[in-house]
Amino acid sequence: MTVVTDVVCPLCGSVCDDIEVEVEENKITKVIKGACAVGKSKLQGHERIKSPMIRVNGVLKECSYDEAIKKAAELLAKARRPLLYGWSSTVCEADKVGIALAEEIGGVVDNTASVCHGPSVLAIQDVGIPCCTLGQIKNRADLVIYWGSNPANAHMNHMKRYSYISKGYFLPGGKKDKKLAVVDVRETSTSKMAELFAQIEPGKDFLLFSAVRAVLMGYEDIVPDEVGGIPKEKIVTLANMIKESRFFITFFGMGVTQSRCRQNNIVNAIQTTRAGHLHTKGAIMPMRGHYNVNGFNQVCTWETGYPFAVDFSRGFAWYNPGETASTDLLGRGECDVALIIASDPASHFPADAVKHLARIPVIIIDPYHNPTTEFADIVIPSAICGIEAEGSVYRMDNVPIRVRKVVNTDYMSDEEIVERILEEVRAIKEKEGE
Amino acid sequence: MVEELRIKNGVVYDPINGVNGERREICIRDGKIVEDVMNPKVIDAEGKVVMPGGVDVHAHIAGGKVNSGRIFRPEDERRGREPKTKVCRSQSGYSVPNTFTTGYRYAKMGYTFVMEPAMPPLLARHTHEEFIDIPILDKAALPLIDNNWMTFDYVKSGDSEKLAAYIAWMIKATKGYGVKLVNPGGTDAWGWAKNQGLNDESEDWGITPAEIIRALAEANEKFEMPHAIHLHQNNLGHPGNFEMTLETYDVTEGVKASKDRSVTHLTHQQFFSYGGTSWKDFESQAKAIAEYVNKNEHVSIDTGTVILGDTTTMTADGPMEYSLYQITGRKWTNCDVELETGAGITPFLYSGKVGVHSIQWTIGLELMLLVKDPWKVALTTDHPNAGPFIGYPIVISTLMSKKRRDEVLSEIHSAVYDKSELPSIDREYDLNEIAIITRAGTAKILGLQEHGKGHLGVGADGDVAIYDISPEERDAGKIQRAFMNTKYTIKGGQIVVKDGEVVAAPEGRTFLVEPIFEDEEIYKEMLSDLETKFRDYYSVTMRNYPVQDAYTPHPYVIKAPMAK
């Protein structure tokens, strides 16, 4: 038995990196400390896809990696409108190869941000974002606001490591020195801890941001008696909490990005933060879900100029979410082959997009079975990044961390698989004399 | 790859070796300049200008804030897009180009080395990941070590040995090249939405920016560091800041350099050479700054010359970007980095119709024309802050042609005739001086001449730029075109650009400095202080912090022993 320290958790956007595990016979047998319940479950492993498979006459048949990769490359090389989607639960090294592959075949490359924080990206492109790293919050933020997010259940270590419950340099008393406010459509484990909880009516976030912003900018008189089910008094109290803080942070989740008004909510949230900045110091941050959803956006941006939904059919990178995002492409029935990696669109995409996906050849690269593997035509199992493979990931605050390889595996890594597919595609194209 | 290359008949400008426009042959074997070659590929450079590969002393090309600039400016990415070719990846962007484009465009201008001058240590991995994706160029990065709480502690306690131990650790941990300072003290104060002047005492730490600057300069000189401290001082971009600039220059006077170079490199001084009391009576004070540089040996500068047009500003000077955003009302991104630094980004348009912008444009040129010794001044645009690096050929042609300057002056805001010396300056740069401010001098400022950069002597890197221009050419348009697209760029003996097209895109190297701190006891004590910082205040562990070797696949390591 050996103890491995400083293990990085490959689960959520908090990317906890102080985990200790016990390894016995090349298996993580125990998580000693650092990980939350969900993280522990991932680190200790569960049912895997055993072998590469190709669907023959409607049934998935086991095959070799070589066969699966060759077949995948053939499909992609002859595709007219291929989609390469996912990329968020894998490392940046794999993402890079994926972008090169998309460029090679003139495909569309997109990640799960399309259906989670894509609207946040659009808002940032509109107005920018005042942000900071999570340690800055730990050390300075005396007011923490979670809006449309519930870290007590979704990012379970977030408050303890970085925000409300953590102790910091200027806040040595931890939560004694800090205030917590929560805005959500329902009572949650997080809201129960809050000094101020505003239970907002669904779809009314835009209005409430506007109201808080108005108070911060000195227009309290124009705020009506009630906004989105929240009495004016409470709105003024929240605005005053912001004004009186030394450093406030708003964390927002998919309760705001994927509800009515979408990116406009985030524009307003950012503008509200700027309004707070007239009085004190403030920052705002999206609660990113997958541990490396941000990493794909980072890599895609430095390699193509754009963070997601990049279409290479013109030879150069073309970006126009609404036209080039994966759900747009599938919704229009345009895509003829899809490579899905490290994600499960069958569970998360709109019904018409999933229907189209089920009609076309689908290649999936993933360690685990999921609803998308149910109709995939080629299934390629991969090593689990952060446990069996190493590489870069970007935490929700843009801090890059290298996830570790803790145990050995016979599974190929995502990076190797995509690299092999790319090599095969290039070989096919060369043969065709392109 | 061609193993041997002979460039014949070219007119060579190699200022480090005292070659000023002479017909010389350049021979390259296995990537290095040699005396002679046996079976070379021959390039006939008849009537053309031959220089060492360009060396950029200061350009923000990679890392967290550059990428934040790209993310929030899709409108910039749409400028300058090019489809993938057999050699090149697809290209996007103008002021914040994608990584591949950065490599190609520099190579087309004849540059082969670029210094990324502001690497937040906590985000160092990001900078290096982007470096891997910038082809052709050799690169290095300067970690920010001036707003770090460890630095503050040691400045406060006056513990110069531990400070030296800390910078040694930090430069190694980040795979960096030297010591960068950006608004020392002020960026940390921005954590509370405040700022600091040179002699303001910090409320939290009880020290002044001047003390930080002096202490870091002394710590840097404890090692044989190739480069001086690289300083973006306090009070950037404010009318009347030239007085604080001159005071800042005095701060490191008397510090003894451990090598033959300045003690302090002051960057993009255009932004620090402002007179007046407000934007209304704003004027150039470039003359005062240039006079100081002319008289003193402990400083070198680069200019941050303005390129008129739209760009993306970005700096670790968080409070400055916020005030700029308040002026323009355009989009604004900020990123404070715990215990270390910060960053701000906002788009900006330098317009010739605006008096202040027009005067700013003159200042960057005045500095270069009024500093007499070209070895003390480097051409930069503080890419992309005063303009994108692809504006360098414009600056070069403007320096070489009084006529072009007069043309521009007559087209921009007339305030320039009252508020700037530029209209009265007749000096025109020659090609030798251009070679100094773009490669030879910058290589010396960075301490790279010992490592094969900035010259064409035997043993130097086979990095050569051949410009399709006669040495006698005075036409500004022709000069600009020639410096925009080389006839040939050769990197490490390989032809990477031919007739202005990228023909090969090999991977570049990363230059790293390893300061060697000798006293193990003191080093251990410093590590114990650092462990406390990680345990209590950082959001990552100390073991996960240093940049792993995987991020520098082609390292070039420069050891910096303790100074004797």
mmCIF file with all atom_site columns, all heavy atoms in Angstrom, chain B residues 94-114:
data_model
loop_
_atom_site.group_PDB
_atom_site.id
_atom_site.type_symbol
_atom_site.label_atom_id
_atom_site.label_alt_id
_atom_site.label_comp_id
_atom_site.label_asym_id
_atom_site.label_entity_id
_atom_site.label_seq_id
_atom_site.pdbx_PDB_ins_code
_atom_site.Cartn_x
_atom_site.Cartn_y
_atom_site.Cartn_z
_atom_site.occupancy
_atom_site.B_iso_or_equiv
_atom_site.pdbx_formal_charge
_atom_site.auth_seq_id
_atom_site.auth_comp_id
_atom_site.auth_asym_id
_atom_site.auth_atom_id
_atom_site.pdbx_PDB_model_num
ATOM 1   N N   . TYR B 1 94  ? -6.015 40.182 -34.930 1.00 0.00 ? 94  TYR B N   1
ATOM 2   C CA  . TYR B 1 94  ? -5.201 41.338 -35.292 1.00 0.00 ? 94  TYR B CA  1
ATOM 3   C C   . TYR B 1 94  ? -4.359 41.791 -34.090 1.00 0.00 ? 94  TYR B C   1
ATOM 4   O O   . TYR B 1 94  ? -3.156 41.605 -34.080 1.00 0.00 ? 94  TYR B O   1
ATOM 5   C CB  . TYR B 1 94  ? -6.117 42.459 -35.785 1.00 0.00 ? 94  TYR B CB  1
ATOM 6   C CG  . TYR B 1 94  ? -5.443 43.789 -35.966 1.00 0.00 ? 94  TYR B CG  1
ATOM 7   C CD1 . TYR B 1 94  ? -4.489 43.966 -36.963 1.00 0.00 ? 94  TYR B CD1 1
ATOM 8   C CD2 . TYR B 1 94  ? -5.749 44.863 -35.140 1.00 0.00 ? 94  TYR B CD2 1
ATOM 9   C CE1 . TYR B 1 94  ? -3.853 45.189 -37.129 1.00 0.00 ? 94  TYR B CE1 1
ATOM 10  C CE2 . TYR B 1 94  ? -5.119 46.089 -35.303 1.00 0.00 ? 94  TYR B CE2 1
ATOM 11  C CZ  . TYR B 1 94  ? -4.167 46.254 -36.299 1.00 0.00 ? 94  TYR B CZ  1
ATOM 12  O OH  . TYR B 1 94  ? -3.550 47.461 -36.451 1.00 0.00 ? 94  TYR B OH  1
ATOM 13  N N   . SER B 1 95  ? -5.015 42.325 -33.069 1.00 0.00 ? 95  SER B N   1
ATOM 14  C CA  . SER B 1 95  ? -4.230 42.749 -31.897 1.00 0.00 ? 95  SER B CA  1
ATOM 15  C C   . SER B 1 95  ? -4.029 41.600 -30.919 1.00 0.00 ? 95  SER B C   1
ATOM 16  O O   . SER B 1 95  ? -3.091 41.621 -30.125 1.00 0.00 ? 95  SER B O   1
ATOM 17  C CB  . SER B 1 95  ? -4.908 43.923 -31.197 1.00 0.00 ? 95  SER B CB  1
ATOM 18  O OG  . SER B 1 95  ? -6.152 43.549 -30.641 1.00 0.00 ? 95  SER B OG  1
ATOM 19  N N   . VAL B 1 96  ? -4.929 40.612 -30.955 1.00 0.00 ? 96  VAL B N   1
ATOM 20  C CA  . VAL B 1 96  ? -4.761 39.424 -30.115 1.00 0.00 ? 96  VAL B CA  1
ATOM 21  C C   . VAL B 1 96  ? -4.876 38.166 -30.990 1.00 0.00 ? 96  VAL B C   1
ATOM 22  O O   . VAL B 1 96  ? -5.804 37.393 -30.880 1.00 0.00 ? 96  VAL B O   1
ATOM 23  C CB  . VAL B 1 96  ? -5.777 39.386 -28.948 1.00 0.00 ? 96  VAL B CB  1
ATOM 24  C CG1 . VAL B 1 96  ? -5.285 40.207 -27.784 1.00 0.00 ? 96  VAL B CG1 1
ATOM 25  C CG2 . VAL B 1 96  ? -7.166 39.873 -29.364 1.00 0.00 ? 96  VAL B CG2 1
ATOM 26  N N   . PRO B 1 97  ? -3.878 37.961 -31.866 1.00 0.00 ? 97  PRO B N   1
ATOM 27  C CA  . PRO B 1 97  ? -3.939 36.813 -32.782 1.00 0.00 ? 97  PRO B CA  1
ATOM 28  C C   . PRO B 1 97  ? -3.840 35.487 -32.038 1.00 0.00 ? 97  PRO B C   1
ATOM 29  O O   . PRO B 1 97  ? -3.318 35.442 -30.922 1.00 0.00 ? 97  PRO B O   1
ATOM 30  C CB  . PRO B 1 97  ? -2.721 37.014 -33.679 1.00 0.00 ? 97  PRO B CB  1
ATOM 31  C CG  . PRO B 1 97  ? -1.786 37.883 -32.912 1.00 0.00 ? 97  PRO B CG  1
ATOM 32  C CD  . PRO B 1 97  ? -2.646 38.745 -32.045 1.00 0.00 ? 97  PRO B CD  1
ATOM 33  N N   . ASN B 1 98  ? -4.330 34.422 -32.664 1.00 0.00 ? 98  ASN B N   1
ATOM 34  C CA  . ASN B 1 98  ? -4.145 33.098 -32.062 1.00 0.00 ? 98  ASN B CA  1
ATOM 35  C C   . ASN B 1 98  ? -2.656 32.742 -32.080 1.00 0.00 ? 98  ASN B C   1
ATOM 36  O O   . ASN B 1 98  ? -1.855 33.406 -32.733 1.00 0.00 ? 98  ASN B O   1
ATOM 37  C CB  . ASN B 1 98  ? -5.022 32.037 -32.765 1.00 0.00 ? 98  ASN B CB  1
ATOM 38  C CG  . ASN B 1 98  ? -4.669 31.799 -34.215 1.00 0.00 ? 98  ASN B CG  1
ATOM 39  O OD1 . ASN B 1 98  ? -4.146 32.680 -34.884 1.00 0.00 ? 98  ASN B OD1 1
ATOM 40  N ND2 . ASN B 1 98  ? -4.959 30.618 -34.707 1.00 0.00 ? 98  ASN B ND2 1
ATOM 41  N N   . THR B 1 99  ? -2.305 31.720 -31.315 1.00 0.00 ? 99  THR B N   1
ATOM 42  C CA  . THR B 1 99  ? -0.886 31.440 -31.082 1.00 0.00 ? 99  THR B CA  1
ATOM 43  C C   . THR B 1 99  ? -0.119 31.168 -32.372 1.00 0.00 ? 99  THR B C   1
ATOM 44  O O   . THR B 1 99  ? 0.987  31.681 -32.557 1.00 0.00 ? 99  THR B O   1
ATOM 45  C CB  . THR B 1 99  ? -0.728 30.224 -30.154 1.00 0.00 ? 99  THR B CB  1
ATOM 46  O OG1 . THR B 1 99  ? -1.593 29.174 -30.616 1.00 0.00 ? 99  THR B OG1 1
ATOM 47  C CG2 . THR B 1 99  ? -1.064 30.569 -28.723 1.00 0.00 ? 99  THR B CG2 1
ATOM 48  N N   . PHE B 1 100 ? -0.706 30.365 -33.241 1.00 0.00 ? 100 PHE B N   1
ATOM 49  C CA  . PHE B 1 100 ? 0.014  30.002 -34.472 1.00 0.00 ? 100 PHE B CA  1
ATOM 50  C C   . PHE B 1 100 ? 0.337  31.261 -35.284 1.00 0.00 ? 100 PHE B C   1
ATOM 51  O O   . PHE B 1 100 ? 1.452  31.455 -35.762 1.00 0.00 ? 100 PHE B O   1
ATOM 52  C CB  . PHE B 1 100 ? -0.821 29.031 -35.310 1.00 0.00 ? 100 PHE B CB  1
ATOM 53  C CG  . PHE B 1 100 ? -1.278 27.823 -34.544 1.00 0.00 ? 100 PHE B CG  1
ATOM 54  C CD1 . PHE B 1 100 ? -2.623 27.537 -34.383 1.00 0.00 ? 100 PHE B CD1 1
ATOM 55  C CD2 . PHE B 1 100 ? -0.345 26.971 -33.961 1.00 0.00 ? 100 PHE B CD2 1
ATOM 56  C CE1 . PHE B 1 100 ? -3.039 26.419 -33.664 1.00 0.00 ? 100 PHE B CE1 1
ATOM 57  C CE2 . PHE B 1 100 ? -0.746 25.859 -33.230 1.00 0.00 ? 100 PHE B CE2 1
ATOM 58  C CZ  . PHE B 1 100 ? -2.102 25.585 -33.082 1.00 0.00 ? 100 PHE B CZ  1
ATOM 59  N N   . THR B 1 101 ? -0.679 32.109 -35.407 1.00 0.00 ? 101 THR B N   1
ATOM 60  C CA  . THR B 1 101 ? -0.520 33.344 -36.180 1.00 0.00 ? 101 THR B CA  1
ATOM 61  C C   . THR B 1 101 ? 0.607  34.204 -35.609 1.00 0.00 ? 101 THR B C   1
ATOM 62  O O   . THR B 1 101 ? 1.374  34.817 -36.356 1.00 0.00 ? 101 THR B O   1
ATOM 63  C CB  . THR B 1 101 ? -1.846 34.132 -36.142 1.00 0.00 ? 101 THR B CB  1
ATOM 64  O OG1 . THR B 1 101 ? -2.884 33.261 -36.609 1.00 0.00 ? 101 THR B OG1 1
ATOM 65  C CG2 . THR B 1 101 ? -1.793 35.363 -37.009 1.00 0.00 ? 101 THR B CG2 1
ATOM 66  N N   . THR B 1 102 ? 0.702  34.242 -34.297 1.00 0.00 ? 102 THR B N   1
ATOM 67  C CA  . THR B 1 102 ? 1.762  35.016 -33.647 1.00 0.00 ? 102 THR B CA  1
ATOM 68  C C   . THR B 1 102 ? 3.126  34.573 -34.156 1.00 0.00 ? 102 THR B C   1
ATOM 69  O O   . THR B 1 102 ? 3.968  35.395 -34.525 1.00 0.00 ? 102 THR B O   1
ATOM 70  C CB  . THR B 1 102 ? 1.669  34.836 -32.119 1.00 0.00 ? 102 THR B CB  1
ATOM 71  O OG1 . THR B 1 102 ? 0.389  35.296 -31.688 1.00 0.00 ? 102 THR B OG1 1
ATOM 72  C CG2 . THR B 1 102 ? 2.760  35.598 -31.393 1.00 0.00 ? 102 THR B CG2 1
ATOM 73  N N   . GLY B 1 103 ? 3.333  33.264 -34.192 1.00 0.00 ? 103 GLY B N   1
ATOM 74  C CA  . GLY B 1 103 ? 4.614  32.748 -34.687 1.00 0.00 ? 103 GLY B CA  1
ATOM 75  C C   . GLY B 1 103 ? 4.849  33.107 -36.145 1.00 0.00 ? 103 GLY B C   1
ATOM 76  O O   . GLY B 1 103 ? 5.925  33.576 -36.527 1.00 0.00 ? 103 GLY B O   1
ATOM 77  N N   . TYR B 1 104 ? 3.819  32.918 -36.975 1.00 0.00 ? 104 TYR B N   1
ATOM 78  C CA  . TYR B 1 104 ? 3.995  33.173 -38.417 1.00 0.00 ? 104 TYR B CA  1
ATOM 79  C C   . TYR B 1 104 ? 4.289  34.653 -38.688 1.00 0.00 ? 104 TYR B C   1
ATOM 80  O O   . TYR B 1 104 ? 5.156  34.990 -39.484 1.00 0.00 ? 104 TYR B O   1
ATOM 81  C CB  . TYR B 1 104 ? 2.739  32.778 -39.213 1.00 0.00 ? 104 TYR B CB  1
ATOM 82  C CG  . TYR B 1 104 ? 2.236  31.370 -38.960 1.00 0.00 ? 104 TYR B CG  1
ATOM 83  C CD1 . TYR B 1 104 ? 0.874  31.090 -39.000 1.00 0.00 ? 104 TYR B CD1 1
ATOM 84  C CD2 . TYR B 1 104 ? 3.120  30.323 -38.695 1.00 0.00 ? 104 TYR B CD2 1
ATOM 85  C CE1 . TYR B 1 104 ? 0.391  29.799 -38.773 1.00 0.00 ? 104 TYR B CE1 1
ATOM 86  C CE2 . TYR B 1 104 ? 2.646  29.040 -38.460 1.00 0.00 ? 104 TYR B CE2 1
ATOM 87  C CZ  . TYR B 1 104 ? 1.287  28.781 -38.494 1.00 0.00 ? 104 TYR B CZ  1
ATOM 88  O OH  . TYR B 1 104 ? 0.816  27.529 -38.262 1.00 0.00 ? 104 TYR B OH  1
ATOM 89  N N   . ARG B 1 105 ? 3.526  35.530 -38.039 1.00 0.00 ? 105 ARG B N   1
ATOM 90  C CA  . ARG B 1 105 ? 3.678  36.964 -38.352 1.00 0.00 ? 105 ARG B CA  1
ATOM 91  C C   . ARG B 1 105 ? 5.032  37.502 -37.898 1.00 0.00 ? 105 ARG B C   1
ATOM 92  O O   . ARG B 1 105 ? 5.650  38.297 -38.595 1.00 0.00 ? 105 ARG B O   1
ATOM 93  C CB  . ARG B 1 105 ? 2.551  37.765 -37.691 1.00 0.00 ? 105 ARG B CB  1
ATOM 94  C CG  . ARG B 1 105 ? 1.242  37.557 -38.410 1.00 0.00 ? 105 ARG B CG  1
ATOM 95  C CD  . ARG B 1 105 ? 0.199  38.599 -38.056 1.00 0.00 ? 105 ARG B CD  1
ATOM 96  N NE  . ARG B 1 105 ? -1.079 38.156 -38.625 1.00 0.00 ? 105 ARG B NE  1
ATOM 97  C CZ  . ARG B 1 105 ? -2.260 38.342 -38.064 1.00 0.00 ? 105 ARG B CZ  1
ATOM 98  N NH1 . ARG B 1 105 ? -2.337 38.996 -36.919 1.00 0.00 ? 105 ARG B NH1 1
ATOM 99  N NH2 . ARG B 1 105 ? -3.346 37.902 -38.641 1.00 0.00 ? 105 ARG B NH2 1
ATOM 100 N N   . TYR B 1 106 ? 5.469  37.059 -36.711 1.00 0.00 ? 106 TYR B N   1
ATOM 101 C CA  . TYR B 1 106 ? 6.806  37.489 -36.275 1.00 0.00 ? 106 TYR B CA  1
ATOM 102 C C   . TYR B 1 106 ? 7.868  36.988 -37.255 1.00 0.00 ? 106 TYR B C   1
ATOM 103 O O   . TYR B 1 106 ? 8.789  37.715 -37.622 1.00 0.00 ? 106 TYR B O   1
ATOM 104 C CB  . TYR B 1 106 ? 7.112  36.953 -34.873 1.00 0.00 ? 106 TYR B CB  1
ATOM 105 C CG  . TYR B 1 106 ? 6.837  37.944 -33.750 1.00 0.00 ? 106 TYR B CG  1
ATOM 106 C CD1 . TYR B 1 106 ? 5.806  37.754 -32.848 1.00 0.00 ? 106 TYR B CD1 1
ATOM 107 C CD2 . TYR B 1 106 ? 7.641  39.074 -33.588 1.00 0.00 ? 106 TYR B CD2 1
ATOM 108 C CE1 . TYR B 1 106 ? 5.568  38.650 -31.821 1.00 0.00 ? 106 TYR B CE1 1
ATOM 109 C CE2 . TYR B 1 106 ? 7.417  39.978 -32.561 1.00 0.00 ? 106 TYR B CE2 1
ATOM 110 C CZ  . TYR B 1 106 ? 6.379  39.762 -31.677 1.00 0.00 ? 106 TYR B CZ  1
ATOM 111 O OH  . TYR B 1 106 ? 6.157  40.651 -30.662 1.00 0.00 ? 106 TYR B OH  1
ATOM 112 N N   . ALA B 1 107 ? 7.743  35.723 -37.645 1.00 0.00 ? 107 ALA B N   1
ATOM 113 C CA  . ALA B 1 107 ? 8.743  35.151 -38.552 1.00 0.00 ? 107 ALA B CA  1
ATOM 114 C C   . ALA B 1 107 ? 8.760  35.912 -39.873 1.00 0.00 ? 107 ALA B C   1
ATOM 115 O O   . ALA B 1 107 ? 9.822  36.179 -40.434 1.00 0.00 ? 107 ALA B O   1
ATOM 116 C CB  . ALA B 1 107 ? 8.451  33.671 -38.787 1.00 0.00 ? 107 ALA B CB  1
ATOM 117 N N   . LYS B 1 108 ? 7.587  36.304 -40.338 1.00 0.00 ? 108 LYS B N   1
ATOM 118 C CA  . LYS B 1 108 ? 7.530  37.055 -41.598 1.00 0.00 ? 108 LYS B CA  1
ATOM 119 C C   . LYS B 1 108 ? 8.224  38.399 -41.477 1.00 0.00 ? 108 LYS B C   1
ATOM 120 O O   . LYS B 1 108 ? 8.711  38.950 -42.457 1.00 0.00 ? 108 LYS B O   1
ATOM 121 C CB  . LYS B 1 108 ? 6.078  37.281 -42.017 1.00 0.00 ? 108 LYS B CB  1
ATOM 122 C CG  . LYS B 1 108 ? 5.389  36.046 -42.575 1.00 0.00 ? 108 LYS B CG  1
ATOM 123 C CD  . LYS B 1 108 ? 4.013  36.457 -43.037 1.00 0.00 ? 108 LYS B CD  1
ATOM 124 C CE  . LYS B 1 108 ? 3.167  35.285 -43.475 1.00 0.00 ? 108 LYS B CE  1
ATOM 125 N NZ  . LYS B 1 108 ? 1.866  35.744 -43.980 1.00 0.00 ? 108 LYS B NZ  1
ATOM 126 N N   . MET B 1 109 ? 8.234  38.957 -40.265 1.00 0.00 ? 109 MET B N   1
ATOM 127 C CA  . MET B 1 109 ? 8.937  40.240 -40.061 1.00 0.00 ? 109 MET B CA  1
ATOM 128 C C   . MET B 1 109 ? 10.424 40.033 -39.771 1.00 0.00 ? 109 MET B C   1
ATOM 129 O O   . MET B 1 109 ? 11.136 40.989 -39.512 1.00 0.00 ? 109 MET B O   1
ATOM 130 C CB  . MET B 1 109 ? 8.311  41.005 -38.887 1.00 0.00 ? 109 MET B CB  1
ATOM 131 C CG  . MET B 1 109 ? 6.852  41.374 -39.099 1.00 0.00 ? 109 MET B CG  1
ATOM 132 S SD  . MET B 1 109 ? 6.274  42.593 -37.873 1.00 0.00 ? 109 MET B SD  1
ATOM 133 C CE  . MET B 1 109 ? 6.858  41.900 -36.347 1.00 0.00 ? 109 MET B CE  1
ATOM 134 N N   . GLY B 1 110 ? 10.864 38.763 -39.749 1.00 0.00 ? 110 GLY B N   1
ATOM 135 C CA  . GLY B 1 110 ? 12.284 38.495 -39.513 1.00 0.00 ? 110 GLY B CA  1
ATOM 136 C C   . GLY B 1 110 ? 12.650 38.341 -38.053 1.00 0.00 ? 110 GLY B C   1
ATOM 137 O O   . GLY B 1 110 ? 13.823 38.335 -37.699 1.00 0.00 ? 110 GLY B O   1
ATOM 138 N N   . TYR B 1 111 ? 11.646 38.204 -37.185 1.00 0.00 ? 111 TYR B N   1
ATOM 139 C CA  . TYR B 1 111 ? 11.916 38.009 -35.760 1.00 0.00 ? 111 TYR B CA  1
ATOM 140 C C   . TYR B 1 111 ? 12.028 36.516 -35.440 1.00 0.00 ? 111 TYR B C   1
ATOM 141 O O   . TYR B 1 111 ? 11.300 35.692 -36.006 1.00 0.00 ? 111 TYR B O   1
ATOM 142 C CB  . TYR B 1 111 ? 10.799 38.617 -34.904 1.00 0.00 ? 111 TYR B CB  1
ATOM 143 C CG  . TYR B 1 111 ? 10.985 40.100 -34.634 1.00 0.00 ? 111 TYR B CG  1
ATOM 144 C CD1 . TYR B 1 111 ? 10.784 41.039 -35.648 1.00 0.00 ? 111 TYR B CD1 1
ATOM 145 C CD2 . TYR B 1 111 ? 11.349 40.558 -33.373 1.00 0.00 ? 111 TYR B CD2 1
ATOM 146 C CE1 . TYR B 1 111 ? 10.956 42.389 -35.411 1.00 0.00 ? 111 TYR B CE1 1
ATOM 147 C CE2 . TYR B 1 111 ? 11.518 41.918 -33.126 1.00 0.00 ? 111 TYR B CE2 1
ATOM 148 C CZ  . TYR B 1 111 ? 11.322 42.828 -34.147 1.00 0.00 ? 111 TYR B CZ  1
ATOM 149 O OH  . TYR B 1 111 ? 11.493 44.164 -33.895 1.00 0.00 ? 111 TYR B OH  1
ATOM 150 N N   . THR B 1 112 ? 12.923 36.193 -34.502 1.00 0.00 ? 112 THR B N   1
ATOM 151 C CA  . THR B 1 112 ? 13.074 34.792 -34.111 1.00 0.00 ? 112 THR B CA  1
ATOM 152 C C   . THR B 1 112 ? 13.042 34.589 -32.598 1.00 0.00 ? 112 THR B C   1
ATOM 153 O O   . THR B 1 112 ? 13.114 33.460 -32.124 1.00 0.00 ? 112 THR B O   1
ATOM 154 C CB  . THR B 1 112 ? 14.392 34.208 -34.658 1.00 0.00 ? 112 THR B CB  1
ATOM 155 O OG1 . THR B 1 112 ? 15.463 35.068 -34.276 1.00 0.00 ? 112 THR B OG1 1
ATOM 156 C CG2 . THR B 1 112 ? 14.350 34.087 -36.179 1.00 0.00 ? 112 THR B CG2 1
ATOM 157 N N   . PHE B 1 113 ? 12.974 35.683 -31.837 1.00 0.00 ? 113 PHE B N   1
ATOM 158 C CA  . PHE B 1 113 ? 12.888 35.550 -30.370 1.00 0.00 ? 113 PHE B CA  1
ATOM 159 C C   . PHE B 1 113 ? 11.939 36.605 -29.821 1.00 0.00 ? 113 PHE B C   1
ATOM 160 O O   . PHE B 1 113 ? 12.010 37.775 -30.207 1.00 0.00 ? 113 PHE B O   1
ATOM 161 C CB  . PHE B 1 113 ? 14.267 35.729 -29.706 1.00 0.00 ? 113 PHE B CB  1
ATOM 162 C CG  . PHE B 1 113 ? 14.232 35.509 -28.217 1.00 0.00 ? 113 PHE B CG  1
ATOM 163 C CD1 . PHE B 1 113 ? 14.583 34.282 -27.676 1.00 0.00 ? 113 PHE B CD1 1
ATOM 164 C CD2 . PHE B 1 113 ? 13.819 36.521 -27.348 1.00 0.00 ? 113 PHE B CD2 1
ATOM 165 C CE1 . PHE B 1 113 ? 14.520 34.065 -26.297 1.00 0.00 ? 113 PHE B CE1 1
ATOM 166 C CE2 . PHE B 1 113 ? 13.753 36.308 -25.969 1.00 0.00 ? 113 PHE B CE2 1
ATOM 167 C CZ  . PHE B 1 113 ? 14.114 35.079 -25.442 1.00 0.00 ? 113 PHE B CZ  1
ATOM 168 N N   . VAL B 1 114 ? 11.057 36.171 -28.902 1.00 0.00 ? 114 VAL B N   1
ATOM 169 C CA  . VAL B 1 114 ? 10.149 37.125 -28.266 1.00 0.00 ? 114 VAL B CA  1
ATOM 170 C C   . VAL B 1 114 ? 10.094 36.870 -26.762 1.00 0.00 ? 114 VAL B C   1
ATOM 171 O O   . VAL B 1 114 ? 9.989  35.718 -26.317 1.00 0.00 ? 114 VAL B O   1
ATOM 172 C CB  . VAL B 1 114 ? 8.719  37.035 -28.851 1.00 0.00 ? 114 VAL B CB  1
ATOM 173 C CG1 . VAL B 1 114 ? 7.799  38.037 -28.169 1.00 0.00 ? 114 VAL B CG1 1
ATOM 174 C CG2 . VAL B 1 114 ? 8.737  37.303 -30.351 1.00 0.00 ? 114 VAL B CG2 1
#
